[in-house]
């Protein structure tokens, strides 16, 4: 059976979910998106994702042609149509069809698409043993360019960095910002642990303000763990006791090696494991609310 995709107000078969070659999302990466989890039939952190989509669109001056409630309903309709209880959702809004020129005023109908998929990004083994990452030479775009807080369809810096990771035999790439501080990975935020305290780069370190990152900060508070949003460098990562990444797709994945250096004893550490397990509980609890 073909999967159903939501496209501008309708659920259509995958084969019929086609985008015009004049769509500026296709021509220029002109659009915004969200990666969202549905656990136990419920959208995880619904408000945070929808608000972030609206904020991204606001900065790019794209008017989403649906209300927030309608978009939420479209997500649930797509999940139901594909018989999912747990799913990964890709929600996309492009500026819509225009001409070959850059003129955004000629694009009148932004396109809204919802794709639902079953997803496990990394194998169970990686969650047990951790992944290795490498610093990419491609930096995260500075906030006076397209602000990384905008989750735009233009992910080329991150894709270049991910290609660097692939050639280095690593699962992910660590991206620095223009100051040389640690920003994030290509599709995940980063946390380090040193002497029992957690650190993650602040929002102004040229990062996407990850929904999962913010959930982990909440979990730290619940667990009574000290966690701060402060800038740090690769030196802090190399000398950390533990490191892990967070994202809607990966959820929480331990990092055991960075640029060939082992982090801690080269195994996922106790605090990472504690938060990983608390995250599982948090998600279960959220699904029952
Ligand atoms: N940083 C980047 C660049 C990302 O693409 C993502 C994934 N959307 C994240 C961080 C993690 O964000 P979230 O927890 O909201 O999925």
């Amino acid at each position: 059976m073909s999967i159903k995709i939501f496209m501008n107000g309708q659920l259509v078969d995958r084969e019929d979910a086609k985008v015009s070659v004049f769509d500026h999302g296709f021509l220029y990466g002109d659009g915004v998106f969200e990666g969202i989890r549905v656990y136990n039939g419920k959208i995880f952190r619904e408000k945070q994702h929808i608000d972030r989509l609206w904020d991204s669109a606001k900065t790019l001056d794209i008017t989403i042609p649906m209300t927030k409630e309608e978009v939420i309903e479209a997500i649930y309709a797509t999940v139901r149509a594909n018989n999912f209880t747990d799913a990964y959702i890709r929600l996309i809004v492009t500026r819509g069809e225009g001409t070959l020129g850059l003129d955004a005023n000629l694009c009148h109908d932004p396109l809204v698409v919802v794709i639902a998929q079953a997803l496990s990004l990394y194998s169970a083994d990686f969650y047990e043993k951790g992944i290795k990452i490498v610093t990419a030479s491609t930096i995260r775009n500075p906030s006076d360019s397209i602000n990384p807080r905008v989750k735009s369809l233009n992910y080329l810096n991150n894709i270049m960095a991910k290609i660097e990771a692939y050639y280095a035999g690593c699962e992910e790439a660590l991206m620095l910002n223009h100051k040389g501080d640690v920003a994030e990975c290509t599709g995940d935020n980063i946390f380090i642990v040193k002497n029992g305290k957690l650190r993650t780069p602040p929002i102004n370190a040229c990062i996407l303000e990850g929904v999962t990152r913010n959930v982990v900060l909440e979990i730290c508070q619940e667990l009574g763990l000290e966690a701060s949003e402060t800038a740090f460098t690769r030196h802090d990562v190399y000398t950390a006791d533990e490191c892990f990444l967070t994202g809607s797709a990966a959820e929480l994945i331990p990092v055991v090696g960075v640029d060939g250096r082992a982090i801690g004893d080269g195994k996922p550490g106790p605090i990472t494991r504690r938060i990983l397990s608390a995250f599982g509980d948090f998600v279960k609890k959220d699904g029952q609310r």
Side-chain angles (χ1 to χ4, degrees):
M1 199 188 76
S2 171
I3 68 161
K4 297 279 184 204
I5 314 262
F6 178 92
M7 269 190 106
N8 262 358
Q10 278 185 11
L11 282 162
V12 296
D13 286 336
R14 182 199 169 116
E15 297 69 36
D16 300 321
K18 299 207 171 110
V19 180
S20 161
V21 292
F22 290 98
D23 191 293
H24 277 210
F26 173 73
L27 286 173
Y28 299 116
D30 188 357
V32 294
F33 76 104
E34 279 297 317
I36 306 172
R37 283 274 186 171
V38 169
Y39 295 111
N40 204 16
K42 186 170 174 291
I43 299 172
F44 184 62
R45 298 268 130 161
E46 173 184 290
K47 179 172 168 28
Q48 287 83 349
H49 281 291
I50 298 295
D51 285 351
R52 189 170 68 184
L53 184 79
W54 250 258
D55 289 349
S56 295
K58 176 91 190 259
T59 288
L60 298 194
D61 201 23
I62 293 174
T63 307
I64 300 174
M66 293 167 74
T67 64
K68 290 185 178 180
E69 292 70 31
E70 284 167 347
V71 168
I72 291 163
E73 190 35 53
I75 295 173
Y76 279 119
T78 312
V79 169
R80 279 195 304 269
N82 293 287
N83 294 317
F84 283 125
T85 4
D86 292 303
Y88 175 79
I89 305 295
R90 179 55 57 88
L91 168 60
I92 306 148
V93 181
T94 75
R95 199 179 295 278
E97 238 183 294
T99 66
L100 289 182
L102 291 179
D103 194 347
N105 292 318
L106 298 177
C107 303
H108 300 296
D109 294 310
L111 176 71
V112 181
V113 175
V114 182
I115 307 168
Q117 265 196 341
L119 181 89
S120 74
L121 190 67
Y122 294 113
S123 67
D125 211 36
F126 281 130
Y127 288 92
E128 269 303 305
K129 298 194 178 127
I131 62 167
K132 292 187 175 142
I133 66 175
V134 66
T135 307
S137 61
T138 311
I139 63 162
R140 198 68 175 96
N141 37 315
S143 37
D144 49 359
S145 174
I146 286 293
N147 194 313
R149 292 182 72 183
V150 174
K151 203 163 163 53
S152 86
L153 289 181
N154 218 309
Y155 252 53
L156 274 176
N157 290 316
N158 300 42
I159 290 166
M160 289 300 106
K162 187 91 180 179
I163 288 172
E164 290 186 50
Y166 169 79
Y167 282 122
C170 289
E171 282 73 43
E172 249 292 4
L174 178 63
M175 298 184 80
L176 308 178
N177 61 28
H178 58 291
K179 290 190 217 153
D181 289 336
V182 168
E184 58 183 341
C185 286
T186 66
D188 295 305
N189 292 110
I190 185 165
F191 283 77
I192 55 171
V193 186
K194 181 83 174 177
N195 299 328
K197 294 179 186 156
L198 290 98
R199 271 168 94 177
T200 194
I203 304 304
N204 64 7
C206 304
I207 64 164
L208 180 78
E209 185 178 356
V211 169
T212 322
R213 164 195 187 272
N214 290 352
V215 168
V216 166
L217 288 173
E218 276 178 42
I219 288 173
C220 287
Q221 256 191 345
E222 279 179 17
L223 297 179
L225 291 166
E226 197 178 317
S228 67
E229 297 171 66
T230 47
F232 57 84
T233 64
R234 275 193 293 175
H235 175 72
D236 300 295
V237 182
Y238 297 154
T239 57
D241 301 325
E242 302 179 34
C243 177
F244 61 88
L245 311 181
T246 63
S248 298
E251 298 175 312
L252 197 152
I253 184 108
V255 173
V256 292
V258 181
D259 297 339
R261 282 79 159 172
I263 302 302
D265 62 0
K267 296 197 191 92
I271 293 185
T272 303
R273 286 184 181 284
R274 208 172 145 203
I275 298 174
L276 186 55
S277 137
F279 183 80
D281 294 342
F282 191 98
V283 157
K284 257 188 246 143
K285 244 192 307 167
D286 192 81
Q288 285 158 7
R289 270 178 213 151

